[in-house]
Amino acid sequence: MTWLRKIDEALGRLFRVLAVVVVVAGALGLLASVALIVAGLFKISPFLSLGAVGVVSLLFYLARNTEGGPPTEPGQPGDWY
């Protein structure tokens, strides 16, 4: 492997890690700002508000990314009944 390819792969890994860090930091910043807005509106502790906003966002995530019904529906390949 040439030294240029090694540099290219190292920069690729570095930029991938940096992209993940930037996305996570942005998401946490957005969560914190929403929590502070909620804390100001309802006159509650910012930490309580952060927990409430976190729980609500988790519920929205679960509602969006899960389907109702059993894990396997009849008539699908691999059925044993």
Side-chain angles (χ1 to χ4, degrees):
M1 188 181 303
T2 66
W3 60 277
L4 284 175
R5 182 174 295 260
K6 288 181 183 178
I7 291 173
D8 182 45
E9 288 181 359
L11 284 175
R13 284 191 299 268
L14 176 67
F15 287 141
R16 199 171 317 129
V17 168
L18 284 176
V20 168
V21 167
V22 167
V23 167
V24 168
L28 289 176
L30 182 63
L31 181 70
S33 65
V34 169
L36 288 175
I37 290 170
V38 168
L41 287 176
F42 293 107
K43 306 264 193 273
I44 58 175
S45 165
F47 296 111
L48 180 65
S49 171
L50 185 63
V53 169
V55 167
V56 169
S57 64
L58 180 65
L59 289 175
F60 276 121
Y61 173 79
L62 289 175
R64 178 182 172 140
N65 292 317
T66 56
E67 296 180 7
T72 56
E73 297 177 4
Q76 299 296 320
D79 285 344
W80 55 272
Y81 50 86

